[in-house]
Amino acid sequence: MDFDVVTTLIKIVDQHLMEPKLLSSFDDSLLETIKLLSAKLCFVQAFLEECKTKMNHRDTCANILYETIRDKVARRYENYKIESKLRMVYFGVNWGESEFVASELHLTLKQVLRDIEEAGEWIPLLRKIITLEPKKEDITVCDTYQNALETENEVIVGFDSDIETIIKRLTFLYSKSKVFTILRSNDIDKLREYVENPLVKLKVIPLVGEGGIGKTTLARRVYGHLITIGSFHIRAWVVVSQVHNLKEMLIGLLRCISPITSEIYNIDEAQIAEQLCRSLMGQKYLIFLDDIWTTAAWDAIQGCFPENSNGSRILVTTRFVEVAEYLSANPYHVKYQTIEDRWELISRKVFGQGQYVPKKYEIIGKHIVRGCSGLPLAVVVIAGLLATAKESLEIWKDVAETLVGINTYDGVNTYDSNKTISNILSLGYNYLPSHLKPCFHYFGVFPEDNVIPVKRLINLWVAEGFLIPHKYMSLEEVAESYLDDLINRSLIQINELSIDGKVKSCKIHDRVLEICVREAINGNTLFIINDNHATKASHWLSCQTSHWPITQANYGNRSLDKIHSILCFGKDVYHSKCRLVYPCLEMLRVLDLSLVKWSRCMPSEITDLVHLRYLALSTIGSLYKLRFFKLKNLLTLIVTSWMEKCPLQLPCDILNLSELRHLHVDKRCSQYLPSSVKENLQTLYWLKVASSDKQPNFRKVPNLKELGIYIEGQLVPSYLGSLVYLHVLEKLKFEVGRVERFYLPTDFPPNLKKLTLRYTYLPWKEMDKIGKLPHLEVLKLKDFAFCGSKWEPSKSFRKLKALLISRSNLKHWNTSSNHFPVLERLVLRYCWELKEVPLEFADIGTLKLIVLECCYSSLVTSANQISSAKSGTLKGKAGCPLRVRKVGTKVELPIIERYEEESVENCIEEMLKADKYSDALKKKVQ
């Protein structure tokens, strides 16, 4: 009713008063009043609509604010008698008395304008209260889909009081009762004084302490806390590091806020900064800048964070007091761990939570915790060492005695805490078995804070020859076991898990990296090339500079057998055709140029490096003339185009390389399966098949474990029939290009564990064929892999542990727990039409994680109901609690669909293809 008052006034002003017959009788002053009133009314209407939307989602605060403005307008409307005065204007025009009645109307409209302006003064203040109103949800909200799949069972001790203190400094919440009291008093000055509290100004909160003290762990706990999540509309974080890169920082933050594509790397910094600032404007945001080393890094990016006066915050970690005090007059100093917390951390890491610690270990263990300083990093590294020696009391005693020696101050030399901590951390390295030390050293080639994909690392280890062959394991499986050992020892950290819970990427703490680099350099195996040091030959060259460092002048006369590996990590490194190979590189085994963008193909002499085992290239154009057949020792080949509009052209016979184990090329690169059987090949991404091509014979690659097939042209179901001969294939991906209709193969590999489908547009009834796969554990359905409004499974996915559905028009999912008896993880992304997760999922005893990204809020509600129901059934019983995590929600269907970055497959043309196919969606369902 009240909302109609504003609507009625707008109708009068914008329609009735705009009639040409009336306008001719109005002077300029009256016309200006009408124009101003129209704008003010639209402003009020927009606020009421905003409140109305929030009221639909049970926001009680929005309801009160709505009534406040509504009443201010409605109370005075009857006094205006504006309709009767408007009738008088009509009569006045007809009777020739327009001037008098127009002046009367003008006086009334001025009074309306004053009243609307008075109501309008309240709106900016009230809007801030709405902005600062926290979300009321009992579930975890993550900034990205990857962060939702975080490491489980991470042991963290002793931060509870710190978390509480920092959250209080981060969050500012209005007292509803105080606000409502002021509203009832109708005192706008009091409301302005209360709303414009200094605490709502943008503030920086630095956490300062030495490396390894737990700043990042503490900040991430605060960042992911339910109170923090409920207090901010936008959260974003990025690692800054010792040598900051502004473009990478900007892109990292944007990636947390909205979907981006690889094309953003072609935009200059100023445009990206503007995009970031625009996305934060008017929002209550929390930015987390991890590991800032210099004030210059802050000065470079601070202009991107707008002052919205709504309680936005910037959380920063730094090890330098001068940097912290530059950012804030009141930084938070992270404290050292108490001895009690250290012992709890070690005992839980070594023996498990709640497990009995034998007395003989407890006595020595408490001596150990006194000696490993108050740095949690040192404690967990020592705990990782002790966990591998639970059966050896002698090693425990040795560690305790060594720590006593490390911490003994001789009274002569100056005490150096950094050296002491380094010596403590070095214990973890010193006790490494000999076969793990080269693998640990190899982390030194990666820059600080670098995220390392596990598959890339494993393939590099294999190429370097670090691994001891095992009778019943492949070299890749041996490498996985080595990495697991280093993770269990807390020398290496898990960065990201895949949907099935396996380690997808890892990283190394910078203080542990210092030890790694030191030991590798001391062993003459590593040299890091940057802008600050002269060049030097070594087994491994890590190029961390923006230019190509290998030239005749600096490496032309080096020893032939000295340089074994070159890995380039420079950002935005472009090269046109130039000489690449010199005599000093003839024994090269590893050449990773995946971050170097070659603009005129690759130098042809690269194929003269006949000892290469690992080659990664990023270029554009044709590589037909490269004689890959000369690289007879090659184990891993990765060739990609760095510009989507310039697809690569490769020789079609690369798979004939006899030693090749892993091939990664762009989807649209034509490759033929080898002419003779190649038993070494394990990974093939991508194999393009088309109806015009010869039918592929997968018998030629019998030991393939991972396969990606890109389809162009109509194929009959039997076309890929030889897939059934891939007995060891565990991971299979299908992606469809220009195809009218895709058919599932008549037969699948018999031991398939992971299946991904993308752009296949299959009807849901075809899912029953997939349900028959006896060993399937992971199923990913991306970008309308299946389409149609209803899915009613009739087959049981007996071993399926992880299910992802990304971009689907599914509306009704009718299923039961019997169809997914061992499901552990469910991920739904951009399922904009699905309103609820089947409530029967509460009966799946193994289900422990549901991730929802950009879905309806009702979908989140249903998932939360499932979690509550499952918690109720587990009371007093052993079982798996269910966590629900969301990455943004939608309250209505978007007008324009936006697509997030896909890890490797994402590109502009594919996104456009999705729009093109959406028009044909209904035809394909039928």
Side-chain angles (χ1 to χ4, degrees):
M1 182 73 177
D2 329 296
F3 186 77
D4 288 340
V5 172
V6 178
T7 306
T8 301
L9 284 171
I10 289 175
K11 186 175 181 180
I12 290 171
V13 172
D14 288 353
Q15 294 183 22
H16 300 328
L17 292 178
M18 291 295 108
E19 289 189 14
K21 189 175 182 181
L22 294 181
L23 286 175
S24 62
S25 64
F26 295 163
D27 60 22
D28 292 343
S29 177
L30 177 54
L31 290 173
E32 184 64 26
T33 300
I34 293 171
K35 181 180 177 181
L36 280 173
L37 182 56
S38 175
K40 298 292 182 182
L41 285 169
C42 289
F43 175 67
V44 173
Q45 186 185 47
F47 176 75
L48 293 173
E49 286 176 345
E50 182 182 347
C51 290
K52 200 80 171 177
T53 299
K54 292 180 179 290
M55 287 161 56
N56 291 337
H57 296 276
R58 300 175 182 175
D59 189 326
T60 55
C61 184
N63 188 46
I64 298 294
L65 304 184
Y66 173 84
E67 291 175 358
T68 299
I69 294 299
R70 174 198 70 178
D71 291 345
K72 288 184 179 298
V73 177
R75 266 199 312 266
R76 293 161 178 155
Y77 178 74
E78 294 299 326
N79 298 330
Y80 298 150
K81 298 181 180 178
I82 197 166
E83 284 95 340
S84 62
K85 290 178 182 178
L86 188 59
R87 283 194 296 271
M88 293 297 296
V89 172
Y90 281 112
F91 292 142
V93 170
N94 293 331
W95 297 343
E97 299 179 3
S98 59
E99 185 175 340
F100 172 75
V101 292
S103 64
E104 285 288 310
L105 177 64
H106 194 180
L107 290 174
T108 300
L109 292 181
K110 281 184 176 180
Q111 182 59 48
V112 176
L113 180 60
R114 282 193 294 270
D115 292 341
I116 294 298
E117 284 177 337
E118 180 187 326
E121 289 178 9
W122 290 73
I123 288 176
L125 305 176
L126 298 177
R127 181 172 274 126
K128 285 184 181 178
I129 296 172
I130 289 181
T131 301
L132 292 167
E133 179 75 0
K135 306 174 187 126
K136 297 180 181 61
E137 292 172 355
D138 298 324
I139 59 174
T140 305
V141 185
C142 303
D143 48 22
T144 64
Y145 157 63
Q146 286 77 15
N147 291 337
L149 300 171
E150 67 177 18
T151 308
E152 298 175 26
N153 303 321
E154 185 180 4
V155 180
I156 296 175
V157 174
F159 281 134
D160 291 346
S161 62
D162 300 272
I163 291 170
E164 184 179 348
T165 302
I166 296 167
I167 285 176
K168 285 180 180 177
R169 289 182 59 178
L170 268 184
T171 56
F172 173 80
L173 303 178
Y174 286 119
S175 163
K176 280 188 183 179
S177 59
K178 179 75 172 175
V179 170
F180 296 159
T181 300
I182 295 173
L183 290 177
R184 281 193 291 271
S185 70
N186 203 32
D187 189 333
I188 191 170
D189 292 328
K190 280 187 178 180
L191 182 65
R192 183 176 288 110
E193 180 182 349
Y194 184 67
V195 170
E196 295 181 352
N197 189 307
L199 291 175
V200 305
K201 297 295 182 183
L202 177 65
K203 288 189 180 298
V204 182
I205 302 175
L207 310 186
V208 61
E210 66 176 291
I213 203 169
K215 301 182 297 296
T216 298
T217 300
L218 173 58
R220 287 185 71 100
R221 288 281 149 169
V222 169
Y223 181 87
H225 196 281
L226 285 174
I227 293 176
T228 307
I229 290 163
S231 301
F232 297 94
H233 302 141
I234 287 177
R235 294 176 309 132
W237 70 276
V238 72
V239 179
V240 179
S241 295
Q242 187 170 355
V243 181
H244 74 274
N245 182 306
L246 179 58
K247 190 170 187 177
E248 290 293 326
M249 291 162 62
L250 296 170
I251 292 172
L253 292 173
L254 266 177
R255 184 178 285 114
C256 295
I257 297 170
S258 60
I260 62 174
T261 71
S262 57
E263 291 297 309
I264 198 166
Y265 286 93
N266 299 327
I267 302 173
D268 63 41
E269 285 177 1
Q271 289 176 294
I272 301 173
E274 183 183 352
Q275 188 176 338
L276 175 61
C277 185
R278 200 164 51 241
S279 66
L280 297 175
M281 195 71 70
Q283 302 291 329
K284 187 182 181 187
Y285 59 83
L286 171 63
I287 301 295
F288 172 23
L289 302 177
D290 189 22
D291 196 22
I292 283 190
W293 282 62
T294 64
T295 57
W298 169 251
D299 291 338
I301 198 170
Q302 67 167 321
C304 299
F305 307 132
E307 172 57 87
N308 295 331
S309 296
N310 60 0
S312 293
R313 296 288 184 262
I314 299 171
L315 188 63
V316 173
T317 63
T318 181
R319 62 176 68 179
F320 303 103
V321 173
E322 58 271 25
V323 174
E325 291 177 347
Y326 181 80
L327 302 180
S328 169
N330 186 25
Y332 187 86
H333 293 267
V334 181
K335 300 181 289 293
Y336 290 101
Q337 248 185 350
T338 64
I339 290 178
E340 292 75 19
D341 287 338
R342 288 180 233 167
W343 172 242
E344 182 183 352
L345 182 55
I346 277 189
S347 59
R348 284 173 60 181
K349 289 281 286 185
V350 176
F351 296 99
Q353 186 169 3
Q355 297 298 312
Y356 170 72
V357 180
K359 196 69 178 177
K360 58 183 178 180
Y361 286 103
E362 183 178 350
I363 294 170
I364 300 173
K366 289 190 174 178
H367 282 292
I368 289 173
V369 298
R370 289 189 186 96
C372 57
S373 83
L375 291 186
L377 176 64
V379 177
V380 297
V381 169
I382 295 298
L385 163 58
L386 298 177
T388 64
K390 280 193 288 187
E391 307 303 321
S392 175
L393 196 61
E394 289 305 311
I395 292 181
W396 283 58
K397 290 178 180 178
D398 189 38
V399 170
E401 291 172 4
T402 305
L403 288 171
V404 170
I406 288 173
N407 288 281
T408 299
Y409 175 49
D410 60 14
V412 178
N413 298 307
T414 304
Y415 178 75
D416 187 343
S417 64
N418 282 331
K419 185 177 180 181
T420 300
I421 297 303
S422 179
N423 288 337
I424 294 172
L425 294 174
S426 293
L427 273 177
Y429 167 77
N430 294 338
Y431 279 89
L432 274 179
S434 58
H435 67 275
L436 288 181
K437 286 189 174 180
C439 297
F440 178 69
H441 291 164
Y442 205 72
F443 281 92
V445 306
F446 297 97
E448 179 187 324
D449 294 318
N450 194 256
V451 173
I452 307 165
V454 166
K455 287 186 177 179
R456 179 191 185 191
L457 178 68
I458 285 174
N459 291 343
L460 285 167
W461 282 355
V462 171
E464 295 285 2
F466 295 153
L467 311 169
I468 300 173
H470 190 283
K471 186 175 180 181
Y472 300 108
M473 299 169 69
S474 68
L475 289 175
E476 288 76 11
E477 289 169 334
V478 172
E480 282 185 38
S481 70
Y482 285 12
L483 179 59
D484 287 342
D485 200 342
L486 290 170
I487 290 171
N488 291 335
R489 292 170 180 269
S490 298
L491 292 171
I492 302 303
Q493 301 171 339
I494 297 172
N495 179 72
E496 181 187 343
L497 297 176
S498 61
I499 190 175
D500 57 352
K502 293 185 178 180
V503 182
K504 188 173 184 179
S505 62
C506 60
K507 59 186 178 181
I508 182 170
H509 193 282
D510 51 8
R511 293 203 77 156
V512 180
L513 180 63
E514 289 169 8
I515 296 166
C516 178
V517 170
R518 182 189 69 207
E519 294 296 332
I521 290 176
N522 289 344
N524 293 317
T525 57
L526 170 66
F527 183 74
I528 297 173
I529 301 172
N530 52 39
D531 296 325
N532 302 322
H533 297 92
T535 57
K536 176 185 174 182
S538 187
H539 276 12
W540 311 327
L541 295 183
S542 176
C543 304
Q544 300 176 23
T545 179
S546 58
H547 60 271
W548 177 244
I550 311 297
T551 64
Q552 179 67 35
N554 56 22
Y555 278 99
N557 299 317
R558 302 292 181 177
S559 172
L560 291 182
D561 61 349
K562 194 71 173 176
I563 303 173
H564 288 180
S565 306
I566 298 177
L567 296 92
C568 291
F569 298 96
K571 301 293 184 182
D572 294 326
V573 181
Y574 294 84
H575 283 293
S576 58
K577 192 169 184 180
C578 65
R579 187 177 178 189
L580 175 67
V581 177
Y582 296 96
C584 64
L585 303 182
E586 288 182 3
M587 302 303 292
L588 207 63
R589 295 179 182 178
V590 170
L591 182 59
D592 190 335
L593 304 177
S594 54
L595 295 179
V596 179
K597 301 173 182 177
W598 294 86
S599 58
R600 297 183 186 174
C601 305
M602 295 299 302
S604 59
E605 68 267 19
I606 203 169
T607 55
D608 294 332
L609 300 172
V610 295
H611 296 283
L612 274 180
R613 299 179 186 176
Y614 182 105
L615 177 60
L617 308 172
S618 179
T619 184
I620 53 176
S622 173
L623 299 182
Y624 274 136
K625 294 182 179 179
L626 285 189
R627 296 173 292 176
F628 284 102
F629 65 86
K630 295 172 66 177
L631 303 177
K632 297 188 182 300
N633 294 296
L634 201 61
L635 303 177
T636 297
L637 177 61
I638 302 168
V639 189
T640 57
S641 170
W642 55 268
M643 187 180 294
E644 181 58 32
K645 296 176 181 178
C646 300
L648 278 177
Q649 297 173 329
L650 291 172
C652 296
D653 59 351
I654 289 176
L655 289 174
N656 283 321
L657 289 169
S658 59
E659 298 298 318
L660 194 64
R661 300 169 78 90
H662 309 283
L663 177 65
H664 294 257
V665 296
D666 286 348
K667 296 184 184 76
R668 292 170 181 81
C669 289
S670 294
Q671 281 299 310
Y672 296 137
L673 288 177
S675 54
S676 59
V677 175
K678 303 298 178 187
E679 295 189 349
N680 289 318
L681 193 66
Q682 297 180 22
T683 306
L684 174 53
Y685 292 114
W686 288 78
L687 178 69
K688 188 177 85 168
V689 297
S691 54
S692 58
D693 294 340
K694 181 181 177 182
Q695 190 170 357
N697 181 7
F698 290 105
R699 289 188 182 93
K700 300 293 186 181
V701 284
N703 294 319
L704 209 57
K705 293 182 178 179
E706 296 187 30
L707 172 63
I709 298 177
Y710 181 75
I711 298 172
E712 283 196 344
Q714 196 74 29
L715 304 179
V716 296
S718 61
Y719 187 84
L720 299 174
S722 63
L723 281 171
V724 73
Y725 298 107
L726 296 176
H727 293 281
V728 297
L729 191 77
E730 295 185 348
K731 188 172 182 179
L732 177 61
K733 295 182 180 182
F734 284 110
E735 183 165 333
V736 172
R738 294 185 288 271
V739 177
E740 184 62 29
R741 183 170 181 181
F742 170 76
Y743 296 93
L744 286 173
T746 50
D747 293 293
F748 281 89
N751 296 300
L752 192 65
K753 291 184 178 180
K754 300 180 181 180
L755 177 63
T756 300
L757 300 172
R758 193 174 187 210
Y759 295 129
T760 50
Y761 291 91
L762 291 162
W764 285 107
K765 64 182 181 181
E766 292 288 299
M767 279 292 289
D768 291 342
K769 294 180 181 178
I770 296 174
K772 294 177 182 178
L773 298 176
H775 304 289
L776 190 66
E777 296 178 359
V778 177
L779 178 59
K780 297 181 182 180
L781 309 176
K782 297 182 177 181
D783 300 310
F784 299 102
F786 282 78
C787 51
S789 61
K790 182 182 287 189
W791 179 21
E792 293 183 344
S794 61
K795 297 290 181 181
S796 174
F797 295 78
R798 291 179 296 165
K799 292 192 175 182
L800 193 68
K801 295 179 181 179
L803 173 62
L804 177 146
I805 304 176
S806 177
R807 298 194 193 97
S808 166
N809 65 334
L810 180 65
K811 288 183 180 179
H812 308 288
W813 189 3
N814 302 326
T815 187
S816 72
S817 59
N818 295 329
H819 292 123
F820 304 95
V822 296
L823 191 68
E824 297 177 2
R825 292 174 172 84
L826 173 65
V827 180
L828 301 175
R829 309 170 70 190
Y830 296 83
C831 294
W832 285 312
E833 298 189 43
L834 186 64
K835 301 297 173 58
E836 66 175 20
V837 180
L839 297 179
E840 291 78 6
F841 276 26
D843 298 325
I844 302 176
T846 53
L847 189 61
K848 55 186 177 182
L849 178 65
I850 297 177
V851 179
L852 306 171
E853 180 176 4
C854 290
C855 300
Y856 267 122
S857 56
S858 62
L859 198 65
V860 178
T861 302
S862 67
N864 207 25
Q865 290 171 349
I866 292 170
S867 179
S868 300
K870 194 163 186 250
S871 298
T873 59
L874 284 176
K875 282 186 177 178
K877 302 178 184 177
C880 207
L882 173 61
R883 297 171 296 149
V884 177
R885 300 189 169 177
K886 75 169 187 176
V887 189
T889 55
K890 292 286 181 186
V891 295
E892 59 184 354
L893 287 177
I895 298 173
I896 301 175
E897 296 180 2
R898 301 179 67 188
Y899 294 88
E900 87 281 16
E901 182 182 33
E902 297 286 345
S903 54
V904 177
E905 305 109 327
N906 191 29
C907 61
I908 293 295
E909 185 175 331
E910 291 164 358
M911 293 190 292
L912 295 174
K913 179 173 65 177
D915 292 335
K916 178 187 73 174
Y917 274 131
S918 62
D919 296 334
L921 191 59
K922 293 182 180 178
K923 298 179 183 177
K924 291 190 179 283
V925 177
Q926 302 169 6

